[in-house]
Amino acid sequence: MPADEQVTKSDKNLDHEWSQQEVLTHAAVQQIHGLAPTPTADMEWARLTKDLSLCLADLVEDEYLVLSHKRANYSVQFAAQGQFGMRAEAASNAYIVPEEARLTPEDYVTMAELGWRIPTDAIQESRPQVLDLTGHLPRILTENPVLDPDGCRNFFVDVSYPIDFGVLSELAVRTFREVYSVRHPLMLQYKAFNRDGLEIRFPTLRLKRKET
């Protein structure tokens, strides 16, 4: 083979190798200088969904975990009940202030579609009911209301043991995104504690811990 042809082919190989090396070096420089592509909001929400499910699995009976918006009364909270499962609650208009931040009737419908039980205002749900969406505060109307010890003024769901923590985590994330319109997990904070008020830390959540 002619020498000049050998040089030409060698140059092509070197060009190819240099191209690969250049790409790898550029990526390394980006990481070193903090220039790596920033994760998208979708990526961060997916990561929070996974991290939250692991943290929920760590809760033992009479321990609580609350995720909340840093500047609004939007929150989702979890109460571990041991072998009895777990209760989750999400803030309803009974607790959301100011008035312009309250959920719309359509939001209440979306919450029900996501799997939440509509706030009962302590009435028994086994009787005939109608969801009244005519006022500024959607409510359940029922015939001959009876006090229900399991009722709640928040949206709520009771999950029996064994618990699918992935489903609960996804429910919380979808609630923040689709109903409370939270754009990014960095807008959230958390608080965790036990029955005696002792605080619990979950650094793996990668969220700011709410100051007491």
Side-chain angles (χ1 to χ4, degrees), residues 105 132-136 138:
D132 179 16
L133 301 177
T134 59
H136 74 281

Side-chain angles (χ1 to χ4, degrees), residues 5-152:
E5 185 177 352
Q6 291 180 355
V7 172
T8 302
K9 288 188 175 181
S10 177
D11 287 344
K12 288 181 179 179
N13 291 334
L14 287 174
D15 288 342
H16 178 66
E17 292 176 3
W18 172 249
S19 177
Q20 290 181 322
Q21 182 180 1
E22 186 178 24
V23 170
L24 293 175
T25 302
H26 181 65
V29 169
Q30 280 189 314
Q31 292 180 350
I32 292 173
H33 294 281
L35 299 177
T38 302
T40 65
D42 287 340
M43 294 170 62
E44 293 291 3
W45 282 116
R47 184 167 66 176
L48 177 60
T49 302
K50 180 179 178 181
D51 293 342
L52 177 58
S53 66
L54 295 176
C55 292
L56 292 178
D58 283 341
L59 292 177
V60 299
E61 189 170 356
D62 294 329
E63 290 186 344
Y64 309 87
L65 174 60
V66 183
L67 303 185
S68 61
H69 193 284
K70 292 179 179 178
R71 298 182 181 86
N73 287 47
Y74 301 135
S75 65
V76 177
Q77 59 189 29
F78 304 90
Q81 300 172 333
Q83 295 297 315
F84 294 99
M86 180 172 286
R87 166 168 279 207
E89 296 184 15
S92 73
N93 282 350
Y95 300 101
I96 295 174
V97 292
E99 184 173 349
E100 55 266 25
R102 289 177 176 173
L103 306 181
T104 66
E106 291 76 16
D107 291 329
Y108 268 63
V109 173
T110 301
M111 290 293 276
E113 292 174 345
L114 288 177
W116 292 103
R117 294 173 65 183
I118 299 297
T120 62
D121 286 332
I123 57 176
Q124 193 172 27
E125 290 195 31
S126 60
R127 296 174 178 268
Q129 298 178 335
V130 175
L131 176 58
D132 179 16
L133 301 177
T134 59
H136 74 281
L137 181 64
R139 58 180 179 152
I140 292 288
L141 300 180
T142 187
E143 297 178 3
N144 302 318
V146 178
L147 290 179
D148 178 12
D150 295 325
C152 183

